[in-house]
Amino acid sequence: MPSQDQASVQQIRAEVAAQVRAVPTLPAMCQRILMAINDPNTNFDKLAREASYDPGLTANVLRIANSAYFGAAQEIGSLRDAFVRIGARRLFELTVGTSVGPLMREALPGYALRRHELLRHSAWTAVASERLAAELRLRAPDMLFTAGLLHDIGKIILDPFVEAHRATLEAAADRLHANFEAAERDVLGMDHAQAGAAVLRQWRLPPQLVEAVAYHHDPEHAPAEHLLATNIVHVANTLAGASGVGSGIAEMRHSVSAQALAALHVKTAVVERVAAATLETMEELEQLLG
Ligand SMILES: [Fe+2]
């Protein structure tokens, strides 16, 4: 790197890695529900009782469970109800969403994202991912909503570094004739997709979430078993940008993967329907998550 000596690059990379390790854990309830998903003998009454010790979390989860987007036909009044009516998997997604949503409200000056912009972009991508799967008549991969919601979470960690080294990053992108992620890897030692995946790994979230986040800009290299979710999140993320719900400077160099589009057989009419349907539900969801 011409503008900085190797020592300072090592220093920056070490600071970035330390920042990833310092991210606080998710509420314990997220792990509990995750375990319940994989255990057919789960005692839901016990789980609901444990969740009631965190009344703020419970209230938020119920609020979202009753929203127009997630809502069941009848009002869901308790976590026990939610387990039965929307299932442990959906409940896990709502719990993660309410826990992480508020983190995504803040402005990220490094990425030129104003307050609420990351949350809006993330919620848009989450909804569009599910709509896209439905429009394409695909069986939605597990936890697709959450993969869409968390895809750019690494930006929260990298933002102070991007802000401090913006000129170096832009020079690196020009020098490498590459996108912003390549510059992030060159200067910061990891890109925001890798940083996000590292956090999700620390949170012990399932591999389908980790991999879809890790490869959301590079679906061509995603592991085969998580390719479908990664392709969908990649296309939904692109669509968010094209619909004016972008995610700042990094995405201006984003290009859509022809391979992902071809694999999903995405047609223009489908894209238009997904964009319109997503827009309809956005406002309510964004408020609920934020
Ligand atoms: Fe991204």
Side-chain angles (χ1 to χ4, degrees), residues 121 151-153 155 181 184 192-193 213 216-217 237 247 250-251 254:
H121 171 80
H151 75 282
D152 266 347
I153 194 169
K155 284 185 178 168
E181 293 79 62
E184 287 173 335
H192 68 272
V213 169
H216 76 268
H217 284 287
N237 176 37
S247 50
E251 312 285 324
H254 172 86

Side-chain angles (χ1 to χ4, degrees), residues 73-119:
Q74 281 172 297
E75 170 104 4
I76 295 174
S78 68
L79 279 182
R80 180 80 180 82
D81 258 13
F83 280 123
V84 175
R85 304 259 289 284
I86 60 172
R89 207 170 292 268
R90 202 46 148 173
L91 191 61
F92 170 77
E93 294 206 287
L94 302 191
T95 311
V96 173
T98 53
S99 308
V100 179
L103 302 177
M104 299 197 285
R105 272 189 311 218
E106 304 307 325
L108 298 181
Y111 285 98
L113 286 165
R114 290 186 300 266
R115 195 172 151 76
H116 285 288
E117 266 188 315
L118 179 65
L119 180 62

